[in-house]
Every structure is written in structure tokens, then in C-alpha cells.
Amino acid sequence: MEKTTESSMDKGYNPQAVEGKWYSFWLEKNYFKGEDNSSKPSFCVVIPPPNVTGVLHMGHALNCTLQDIIVRFKRMKGFNTLWIPGMDHAGIATQIVVEKQLAKEGIKKDQIGREKFLEKTWEWKVKSGGAILDQQKRLGISVDWSRSKFTLDEDLSFAVKKVFVDLYNEKLIYRGNRLINWCPRCQTAVSDLEVKHQETKGTLWHIKYADDIVVATTRPETLLGDTAVAVNPKDARYKNHIGKSVSLPLTNRKIPVIADDSVAQEFGSGVVKITPAHDFNDYETGQRHGLPSIAIFDKKGVINENGGIYQGLKSIDARKKVLEDLTALGLLVKEEPHTLSVGKCDRCETVIEPMLSDQWFVKIKPLAEPAIKVVEEKQLKFYPENWTKTYLDWLYNIKDWCISRQLWWGHRIPAWHCVNKHITVSMEVPAKCSICSTQEIKQDEDVLDTWFSSWLWPLTTLGWPNETKAMETFFPTSVLVTGFDIIFFWVVRMVMASMHFKKEIPFKHVYIHALVRDERGQKMSKSKGNTVDPLDLVNDYGTDALRFTLASLVGGGRDIKFSEDRLDGYRNFINKIWNATRFSLNALKDIPLAKKIDVKKLTLPDKYIIYELQQTIKETTKAIEEYRFTDGATSLYKFTWNEFCDWYLELSKPVLYGTDSEQKSQSGAVLISVLERLTRLLHPYVPFVTEEVYQLLPDHKESVCIQPYPEENDPFLKLGSKESAFEIEVVKSVVSAIRNIRGENRISPAIKIKTTFFTQDKNSLSILKQNDSFVTTLGRLEKAEYVDKMPDTKKSAITLITLGEARISVIVPLEGLVDFNEEIKRLNKELEKVAKDFDLTQKKLSTETFMANAPKEIVELEKSRILQLQDKKNQLLESLKRLN
RNA sequence: GGGCGCUUAGCUCAGUGGUAGAGCGCUUGCCUUACAAGCAAGAUGUCGCAGGUUCGACCCCUGCAGCGCCCACCA
């Protein structure tokens, strides 16, 4: 007990001790640099740039891991590979963070002004951005750091400006006074996408506007801005009122009763108040009927001068007062609970106020059309495919994009307003108004939506709008890897931008992965306190373990429920790789390895493991190419642990510890060749441990990162064979049968037993005899005997093995045992299973329709099965008889 | 309201038209000289419910239920 746990200083592989070292080494050697000029085919990925003031969360860890697997794989496959890193200035998000930071110091941004505020933000950016860099490096990402970009860099800002000016000149950007989503806290317009709707319990108030006109509303305070009430034209109750007017309560205004199809007769009273300045529906109704709009809120959400006596009240207070006053007048006729969906600011959760406002918009339909076409025509493909529908549906119904933000942090809009309200849009600061030539001009105060720079990301990171060599070599990029949450924000818009400005798709594939949630399936968020910092996990388990875990969990397209238990298992896997290497190298230390492998000299395990390796190479390669990371991980895990370690290394021991030096030299060479290939095969998933291991291998090259990925048609792999894999199956079955008998009968591992194998099949006998040393070692046998007649044993456990043509009885004497109850139990359990299967199969074979309709192979399979089951059944019955 | 996805072992999830799999957890035995972060053996499932197609359905189809997500202006 003590010996195995506490006293043992060696806790296995220590990732912390090696990861930093290798990452520095890789960077020093410039392995991750993409070449602008290269004869090799190109492979390019741009990173979804993290928010510069954010912290790296599990989503980033997943995103980075998947990209790094692909990129390392392609690099090893011989592509001129480039992965471009960078960061996003993240307008609102960053500004909020910095505002909060300043608030802690008791500073408000208006006190210090725009210039000073931006200075502070840049300071914060440098600090926070640096932390993200360190985090990314810990994950081992193989990006070309020399090409790192930030969305506010000078060259990227130039591109943003140019795009704005060009679109303006093409009349695809316009300025308009329209109803937009206004966040009263952030004091800016936000786009539709930045509003999150939440079901909220509220109240539906019924307010009497006239004797028989009662309106139902969830926002009574907005009646101050009503400019009509509407009814359905088919509604018999109100036919007579249409075209007349009613007097708006609490004000002196008369407003018309209009008829509009959008009004549902059955909802509430069937009468709707129309407030065009503060509701999107009402705005459209207003447009249809030419109604005036009366704005009653100012930018802070406080009632303005149009609100009469209510001026100065916040909306929530105004509501209270309005309701009080209506009650006093006896106009509040009913109130009932009502759930409604409330729009909240994506960033600060403040309730969004629809407001009429002058903003800049992108006319989006002309941009959307090409983006629809390339996906419909499958020039651009989504993985998994079903995201195509999400992408297209959104584009079919897309609305103009509000791109101006009343913020300070971002790209200032290159437009100048003159005193005569003319607008000049220009790359350079203009000297005068382009229309009236006045010199009294002022630049637009607003900045652009963050996504107005990130939608150019695949272009600008390669130097566009300049015609760079990088652009020529790497554009269009190969694949975009991102979460589904930013398909609309980002993916769609990148396609639009690229199609419009470059007339090409920005990337050929889009791989969409799931979100990382906590173990209960809840979204990770700071406010819930259920976030996991990937760096903590890296510190505790190592980067490779985290990467392998994420890659293993990402499959299926569903969200990942992340729990640390899984990490334990994969940390052990990394350790297993490490230990297998240590063992191999140690065992081979004094063995001169054969320079040339002679297939005639190979053992069965040698040929089998080479064959299995080849299968694994095939599977893993295909899996990565098809973005099935989980399948790749499973395949690697199974081969490494269940074949290489559990069987091959164990089977190699008799040879390596044996005395046949020629055989040792040959099999040793196979072992090291397999291990070396396995190391390369694992590298994209677990780069650190594989580099550490690789550097210990004899005759290793400079780094595993730049070695070729194992190829299926590697001549070495031709030494394996499917037949040998089958023969090893026989050996495995025999060994498992012995172990099963030992285990069930509690025969101590310390006791070496005699075992007899009975078979009348020549091939089986030959397999057994050839592998005598393997079976003897793994079964912990004293000696194996081979007979061609069933011995007349009394006190023995017998298991019949049927595998293909092979048919072997494994006979283990149980002389030393006090009682045979355990063995009888074992036999009965087995018998029950076999009997059940037998009955089922027999039933099938005696069904006429089955025999008539089932494919020949299946019928044959069932026929051979029934024979095997029959044999087994007989054997079990016989064994039981002998024990009793 | 529209769309998408999920429902398989205690937990997390794979999976295929031909008699259900993995990891973790659990039980038992092992300090077998690579690894106790290990080795060996074992137990556990009317594959959400109801129909249909089929010789045969966990898998294909239909309906239902539950859960989750996305989109949408129902006052």
C-alpha cells in the first residue's frame, strides 16, 4: 500500500516539465512559418480572433485544439501550412470592460474625454492581449506569430476605411433615420443580432381610450407617444370607428382609428395602440399609414419634453405614474398576467429600447445574393452539413445591417458632416464639404460595428487590399473552424465581404463545432460561476490531456458537457504513451537493431501490430480529413492502449527477454519502427508528449513536427498481414480463456498452471505451437501440452474456442481447488448465454421467410453460428457432467 | 409560430438493417521488473413511448412525450 502510493516519488509523465521547453524550441526553429513562395500546395487557416480584453475560456481551448490538429496534420502531410493568429478589438465588449475598470478608480469616461479614454483602452489592450497570447501558447498552437494581426492595426484600419468608402460610393452604405435597437446603458445602437430575447413575466394592462375602445398593452407608458389606434378591418365590433378619432388619455391629443391587417382580432380587445417611435411593429404600421412618430424617450431612457408632465421620469417610474393616473381617472379597466419576450442587450443585459435615430446602414440584399449562391452551389461547404440550412435561412430573410455605434473604441467612421447637413465620405480628411464647399465640417462621432472589421479578417490578415504574395499563395483559405454561435455575426458576413470585394469565397470549408458547457449542461458564464479556466486544467493535467479530452468529446455535433473526470482518463492515456516508450527504449537498450528487416524473421505479433498500425493510419487520416476528431481520437486510443500496449508489448517480452539474438534484433527493429510511426501519428492530437518521446528515439530527426505524417503505403507497413492479425486473435482468445478460468476460479497469479490444448485442426495446432512462448507467458503457464484427443479429465475447467475455422479446447486442471462451485457457476452462466443464442439462431433458421428472403451471406453466417453454438453447448454440458 | 438537434449501462457518450459498445464509476483478485495515472477478471441495458415498412428495426418512416438550442414584431 505505502509502496504503491505515497512513497512513490515518480508520479509518471510530468507535462509541466517539458511543455514550455518544446514550445520555445518550435518557435526558435520557425516551424510554424508559412512561406509566401513555395512549390508545395498551400493550406491556410485564420484563427477566429479572440476578444482582446477577454480571457481564454474552454470554447477557445476547443477551437484552438481542433485547428491545431488540422494544421499540424497538414504540415506533416507536406503542405505549405499557414495558420494566422490575431485578436479582435471587440468594440462594445472592450469598452464596457474598460469603463468598469475606470469606475473602480472612480473615473467616468465623460470626465476624461475621448482621447484620454482611448489611451487608457490601449493600455488595457496591451496588458490583456499579452495574457491571451500566453494562454494560446500554453495550448501549443502552431500559428505563425510573425503574421499576428489586430483589427485596429493600421493596415486593417485602412482596409476598413476603404471598404466603407467603396460601399458608400456604390450606394450600398447609406445614412438613414430609422427605428433601431438602442441600449440605454451602453448609449449606443446595436444590431438585431446583438439583442437577445428573453421570456419575461409581465402584465397586460387594458386601458380605456374611449367608451368602446379599450386597448391592451404591456407598456402603458408609451401611450404618451401613440399616434393612432389600430383595429382589424374585418372586425365587426369596430367597423364604425375606422377613420374617426379618439382622444388619447393623459394628453390633449386626438389620434385616428386606423384599420390594419396585422391586428389580430382575438388578442386582447382587438385594438392596438400604435407608437411608431418605440416599437418595431408600430413603426411599420406607421410607415404604411403615414403616421407621425413621436419620440418620448431620450437616449438614457428618460421621458423627454414630448411627455408633458411626465418629463424627467425614467421609463419604469413613468409607467408607475401613468398607471396611477389612469386608475385615478377610472380608465384602467383590467390587468392580467402575461408573458412576453423582452429584448436585452447582448453585452450588458439592459432592456433594449427601440428608438428613432440617425444611423449608418449597409444595404445587405445585394451582398447576400452571392453569399447564398456559393453555398447553394456547394462551392463552400459546411461540416457538419446541416449548418448549411441555418446559414441559408438567415440569408434569405436578412435585413439591412446597422453598422454605426455610439462608442469610442473602434474604427471612426470616415464621414464628415458640414454645417449645411451635407455628408462627405472620404479616405482622407477632407478640407471642405464636397457638396457646398464650406470648410465648417466635422467628422462623424460614431465608430463602426466590430464585425465591420472582422468580416474582412481572411482578406486583411493576408494583406488585402494590397495584392500581396501571401494573398496569391494562401487565398482562398482552406477551412474556417468556429462555433455555431457566430455563424450569423461572422461567417455569413465574411462570405459576403469576400464575394463582393474579391469575387472569391474566403474559405472552402467551414467546420462548425459545439459549445462547451458545464457538467450539468449549462452554459458556462462568469455570472453563474461555473466557468472553468483551461489554464487551470493545463496546469493540473497537461495540455495534451486537455487537448485529447476536447477532441474526444467534440463529436456528434451536440454540446460538450465538460467534466474533469474525463480529463483523468486521458491524462492516464498520455502517461501510457510515455511509459510505453520508456519500456520500449529500456528493453531495446542493449539490443543491436537490425538495419534491414527480413519479413521471414518476423514473429506473428510483429506482423500483426504492423497490420493494425496500418489500419489505424488509414482510419485516423480519414477521420481528420473529414473533421471527425472524435473518431480519430478513438482510433488512436484503441490502437495505442488496447493493441500496442496490452498485447503487442506484452507479446514482445518473451522475445526481447529471450536468448535468440537474431530474433531480438529483428523484432526490436519492428518495435522501434512501430513506435516511431505511432509517435508521428499521435502528434497532431498530443504534440508535447510526442515531441518529448520522439527526441528519445534512436536516429530521430530534429523534430516530430516537421516529419511526414505516416502513410498507408509506407513499405514497412507491407510487412504486416491480415492473416497474422487473425492468428493473433486466436492467441488472444486462448489467453483470454485461460485468464477467465483463472479469474473466475480465483487461481492466484502466483501459481503457474499446466494447460492442455486439444484440437484436431492442423492450422489451429500450428498457430498454437508457433506461439507457445507467448501463450505460456501471458497465461502464466508452467507448460502447455497439445493433444489431438480429448483427454479424460475429471477436475478441469474446459473452454471451447471457435474462431473462423479454428476450434480449440482449453483445458486447465483445477486440482488444487477446495471446491468447484465457482467453476460450476462459470459454466452455468456461460451455458445460459450459449443456450439463449442457440435457440434464437435456431428459430431464425427454421423461419421459412428468413431462409427465402435473407441474403445468402447472412444465412451462411447463421448456419455456421449454429454449428459453433452447438459445439459450445455440448462442451459446456460435458464439462458440467465431469465436475459433478 | 418556424427551424434544428437530442433521448442507448449509474454517469458521459460512440454506434451499425442481421443477436448492443467505450471511458469513468462499481465488484473481485493482483506491489506479475513500462505504467497502482497500472494489470487481469466480472456485473450492469424491454437502445424514450406507440404504430408502420421489412424475413429481420436500436438503426428507416409516421405519430406522441420529454429535454435543449436557434430564429421570429404578436400588442
Side-chain angles (χ1 to χ4, degrees):
Chain A
M1 167 93 193
E2 272 83 351
K3 189 181 168 189
T4 54
T5 54
E6 298 310 316
S7 69
S8 169
M9 288 302 289
D10 181 14
K11 290 300 269 179
Y13 175 64
N14 181 2
Q16 285 71 34
V18 307
E19 292 181 351
K21 174 182 74 181
W22 291 124
Y23 198 75
S24 308
F25 173 72
W26 295 330
L27 291 188
E28 240 167 67
K29 295 284 182 181
N30 261 326
Y31 294 146
F32 306 151
K33 225 168 154 41
E35 301 297 336
D36 283 352
N37 291 294
S38 169
S39 54
K40 297 195 237 168
S42 304
F43 188 86
C44 182
V45 176
V46 292
I47 206 168
N51 173 351
V52 71
T53 61
V55 273
L56 208 68
H57 57 248
M58 290 301 287
H60 291 116
L62 172 67
N63 183 254
C64 284
T65 297
L66 300 181
Q67 285 170 90
D68 200 46
I69 291 172
I70 297 172
V71 166
R72 284 180 187 268
F73 171 78
K74 289 288 180 179
R75 187 178 295 118
M76 291 176 82
K77 277 280 188 186
F79 286 80
N80 174 27
T81 304
L82 171 62
W83 183 12
I84 308 176
M87 282 182 232
D88 196 295
H89 70 281
I92 298 191
T94 299
Q95 183 155 330
I96 290 176
V97 170
V98 176
E99 278 172 15
K100 279 186 185 159
Q101 203 65 24
L102 290 176
K104 276 187 203 155
E105 301 165 33
I107 303 171
K108 280 191 179 161
K109 78 176 200 301
D110 292 316
Q111 295 169 334
I112 58 174
R114 187 167 192 146
E115 297 270 308
K116 192 89 186 139
F117 180 81
L118 287 177
E119 243 173 64
K120 291 265 179 202
T121 311
W122 276 102
E123 275 171 30
W124 180 248
K125 179 258 167 190
V126 171
K127 208 166 85 188
S128 174
I132 289 183
L133 281 186
D134 290 340
Q135 291 176 310
Q136 290 180 326
K137 287 179 178 174
R138 289 293 300 280
L139 288 170
I141 66 173
S142 61
V143 297
D144 185 344
W145 290 110
S146 72
R147 301 194 194 230
S148 186
K149 294 288 180 191
F150 179 52
T151 47
L152 284 177
D153 284 347
E154 214 171 296
D155 45 348
L156 271 69
S157 301
F158 176 84
V160 165
K161 212 192 292 180
K162 179 176 160 48
V163 160
F164 185 95
V165 173
D166 287 352
L167 287 177
Y168 180 80
N169 291 334
E170 292 171 59
K171 306 225 179 314
L172 291 176
I173 280 183
Y174 64 92
R175 188 161 170 83
N177 184 273
R178 307 216 324 214
L179 200 63
I180 46 88
N181 302 294
W182 181 264
C183 174
R185 197 223 65 92
C186 300
Q187 290 287 295
T188 180
V190 295
S191 72
D192 295 342
L193 279 174
E194 290 162 287
V195 180
K196 296 290 159 213
H197 291 270
Q198 248 175 44
E199 290 270 289
T200 312
K201 283 192 175 134
T203 307
L204 191 61
W205 286 278
H206 296 248
I207 302 166
K208 196 188 238 182
Y209 276 34
D211 276 343
D212 40 7
I213 300 279
V214 172
V215 304
T217 180
T218 54
R219 299 198 57 192
E221 69 280 11
T222 62
L223 76 75
L224 301 170
D226 283 3
T227 55
V229 294
V231 299
N232 191 291
K234 295 195 195 89
D235 196 331
R237 293 173 291 178
Y238 305 112
K239 269 224 156 92
N240 299 332
H241 291 81
I242 297 170
K244 297 190 179 145
S245 62
V246 292
S247 171
L248 184 63
L250 311 180
T251 69
N252 300 321
R253 288 193 286 119
K254 291 252 181 220
I255 56 174
V257 178
I258 61 169
D260 196 279
D261 289 328
S262 69
V263 179
Q265 297 183 41
E266 57 289 351
F267 188 91
S269 55
V271 187
V272 187
K273 61 193 274 308
I274 304 295
T275 322
H278 297 292
D279 183 282
F280 284 95
N281 272 327
D282 295 1
Y283 180 73
E284 277 172 27
T285 310
Q287 296 282 298
R288 281 196 294 275
H289 295 269
L291 298 173
S293 296
I294 300 176
I296 57 158
F297 292 113
D298 69 10
K299 296 194 166 174
K300 299 214 156 139
V302 173
I303 304 283
N304 65 13
E305 67 280 5
N306 293 327
I309 59 161
Y310 301 94
Q311 183 175 358
L313 292 177
K314 280 195 192 161
S315 66
I316 184 85
D317 298 324
R319 175 177 300 178
K320 234 157 105 190
K321 185 85 170 50
V322 163
L323 287 171
E324 272 171 25
D325 293 349
L326 287 170
T327 307
L329 293 169
L331 297 177
L332 191 61
V333 296
K334 193 165 123 189
E335 58 184 276
E336 55 187 334
H338 185 249
T339 46
L340 68 161
S341 136
V342 175
K344 295 191 174 167
C345 176
D346 195 21
R347 289 293 163 187
C348 72
E349 306 222 316
T350 304
V351 175
I352 290 293
E353 196 64 64
M355 291 268 215
L356 273 174
S357 169
D358 286 324
Q359 301 288 344
W360 292 93
F361 296 88
V362 174
K363 193 172 168 192
I364 211 78
K365 284 257 150 77
L367 296 179
E369 275 158 26
I372 290 171
K373 192 160 168 256
V374 291
V375 169
E376 278 181 343
E377 290 174 357
K378 300 200 193 300
Q379 288 177 50
L380 176 55
K381 281 192 209 148
F382 279 82
Y383 296 84
E385 210 179 0
N386 49 321
W387 291 108
T388 310
K389 190 174 161 52
T390 307
Y391 170 97
L392 286 173
D393 282 352
W394 194 71
L395 274 175
Y396 293 147
N397 302 306
I398 197 165
K399 288 192 196 142
D400 284 358
W401 174 18
C402 175
I403 51 170
S404 41
R405 297 289 180 274
Q406 290 64 53
L407 302 170
W408 288 347
W409 179 241
H411 300 93
R412 188 95 177 248
I413 291 178
W416 283 260
H417 303 270
C418 82
V419 282
N420 300 317
K421 308 224 163 176
H422 299 134
I423 290 172
T424 304
V425 168
S426 154
M427 290 296 288
E428 310 298 334
V429 179
K432 54 187 181 67
C433 172
S434 60
I435 294 167
C436 67
S437 296
T438 171
Q439 290 182 4
E440 288 184 65
I441 56 171
K442 237 176 78 185
Q443 184 166 10
D444 198 295
E445 291 291 328
D446 294 351
V447 300
L448 289 160
D449 181 4
T450 280
W451 301 100
F452 197 84
S453 56
S454 29
W455 75 329
L456 305 174
W457 190 244
L459 292 159
T460 49
T461 48
L462 287 169
W464 186 89
N466 296 319
E467 285 171 20
T468 59
K469 193 77 189 104
M471 207 52 199
E472 199 180 300
T473 304
F474 293 109
F475 197 87
T477 65
S478 309
V479 57
L480 179 83
V481 178
T482 193
F484 65 80
D485 52 333
I486 52 175
I487 291 179
F488 304 144
F489 277 113
W490 195 45
V491 180
V492 167
R493 286 168 178 164
M494 280 191 286
V495 181
M496 293 196 289
S498 182
M499 289 310 296
H500 189 76
F501 298 110
K502 190 75 174 75
K503 311 291 176 220
E504 275 184 88
I505 50 173
F507 23 73
K508 296 174 195 120
H509 295 171
V510 178
Y511 172 73
I512 300 286
H513 62 249
L515 255 41
V516 182
R517 297 173 180 280
D518 73 3
E519 58 268 287
R520 289 205 304 267
Q522 301 205 306
K523 202 169 173 173
M524 287 189 182
S525 75
K526 271 187 223 148
S527 53
K528 280 188 199 137
N530 61 349
T531 51
V532 178
D533 184 345
L535 275 201
D536 290 343
L537 300 176
V538 164
N539 288 333
D540 291 349
Y541 296 89
T543 299
D544 290 332
L546 177 61
R547 288 172 59 120
F548 205 85
T549 306
L550 291 170
S552 296
L553 292 174
V554 78
R558 66 171 101 182
D559 286 346
I560 296 174
K561 282 189 204 163
F562 190 83
S563 95
E564 278 196 44
D565 292 348
R566 282 304 274 258
L567 260 173
D568 264 321
Y570 291 117
R571 186 257 325 265
N572 297 353
F573 176 61
I574 306 300
N575 192 227
K576 193 77 179 175
I577 296 170
W578 167 248
N579 272 309
T581 309
R582 279 200 324 165
F583 163 75
S584 303
L585 295 178
N586 198 41
L588 297 176
K589 208 168 44 194
D590 301 320
I591 300 173
L593 302 177
K595 291 270 180 318
K596 198 162 175 289
I597 295 171
D598 179 358
V599 66
K600 288 195 223 87
K601 290 282 181 183
L602 296 188
T603 62
L604 191 59
D606 289 336
K607 288 187 272 187
Y608 134 80
I609 200 64
I610 294 171
Y611 174 76
E612 294 295 341
L613 173 65
Q614 186 179 36
Q615 296 309 303
T616 308
I617 291 170
K618 217 188 278 186
E619 285 166 23
T620 310
T621 302
K622 196 152 181 281
I624 298 177
E625 277 170 351
E626 293 170 0
Y627 309 110
R628 290 181 292 108
F629 301 98
T630 303
D631 294 343
T634 307
S635 178
L636 290 169
Y637 185 97
K638 282 195 167 148
F639 175 78
T640 305
W641 201 314
N642 304 125
E643 304 297 341
F644 186 75
C645 291
D646 285 351
W647 289 102
Y648 175 66
L649 288 184
E650 294 305 322
L651 288 165
S652 296
K653 284 177 184 175
V655 177
L656 299 175
Y657 296 152
T659 50
D660 184 343
S661 53
E662 170 63 14
Q663 187 62 63
K664 284 160 76 165
S665 160
Q666 287 286 332
S667 291
V670 170
L671 169 50
I672 208 73
S673 301
V674 171
L675 180 63
E676 192 269 343
R677 281 165 181 78
L678 177 58
T679 304
R680 284 189 270 138
L681 194 61
L682 286 164
H683 182 259
Y685 280 79
V686 286
F688 291 109
V689 70
T690 47
E691 184 71 283
E692 177 71 12
V693 162
Y694 183 79
Q695 298 288 340
L696 298 173
L697 298 179
D699 303 325
H700 66 86
K701 308 272 176 31
E702 196 174 76
S703 164
V704 66
C705 298
I706 49 166
Q707 294 310 304
Y709 200 73
E711 296 285 344
E712 206 187 307
N713 55 14
D714 174 354
F716 170 74
L717 298 176
K718 298 218 164 70
L719 300 172
S721 73
K722 195 171 180 175
E723 294 69 40
S724 50
F726 169 76
E727 290 179 19
I728 284 292
E729 280 308 308
V730 174
V731 172
K732 284 184 185 177
S733 303
V734 168
V735 171
S736 295
I738 297 166
R739 285 172 171 173
N740 173 259
I741 291 168
R742 294 190 77 121
E744 295 283 289
N745 288 292
R746 315 263 156 77
I747 299 171
S748 159
I751 301 171
K752 299 228 169 170
I753 51 176
K754 240 184 240 161
T755 298
T756 306
F757 299 100
F758 158 61
T759 180
Q760 293 179 328
D761 162 39
K762 267 193 196 149
N763 192 38
S764 300
L765 185 66
S766 145
I767 295 172
L768 288 175
K769 284 200 162 163
Q770 274 177 50
N771 295 288
D772 180 85
S773 67
F774 302 130
V775 175
T776 305
T777 307
L778 297 192
R780 305 188 67 76
L781 305 185
E782 186 194 318
K783 189 179 177 348
E785 274 187 311
Y786 307 96
V787 297
D788 60 3
K789 256 196 202 129
M790 189 65 178
D792 181 24
T793 52
K794 277 277 178 286
K795 299 173 176 176
S796 292
I798 307 172
T799 297
L800 174 65
I801 300 195
T802 57
L803 204 69
E805 298 296 308
R807 197 170 171 291
I808 300 163
S809 293
V810 178
I811 305 155
V812 177
L814 300 173
E815 285 132 3
L817 292 181
V818 187
D819 70 285
F820 299 110
N821 282 341
E822 292 302 327
E823 178 61 8
I824 291 168
K825 245 200 304 204
R826 181 183 81 92
L827 292 172
N828 276 320
K829 197 171 65 189
E830 193 63 23
L831 183 61
E832 202 181 319
K833 214 185 315 177
V834 170
K836 212 174 105 189
D837 289 352
F838 180 82
D839 292 347
L840 215 82
T841 311
Q842 199 175 41
K843 200 175 147 197
K844 225 176 197 181
L845 285 168
S846 56
T847 308
E848 271 174 50
T849 46
F850 172 79
M851 297 302 280
N853 293 314
K856 266 206 303 270
E857 315 85 82
I858 297 297
V859 176
E860 287 308 309
L861 199 79
E862 296 294 332
K863 277 183 178 168
S864 70
R865 179 179 285 156
I866 197 98
L867 291 177
Q868 290 186 356
L869 290 168
Q870 179 74 65
D871 278 354
K872 280 200 176 170
K873 210 165 100 177
N874 290 343
Q875 177 71 78
L876 287 163
L877 289 168
E878 176 64 23
S879 301
L880 275 166
K881 214 157 78 185
R882 289 187 187 197
L883 280 178
N884 285 326

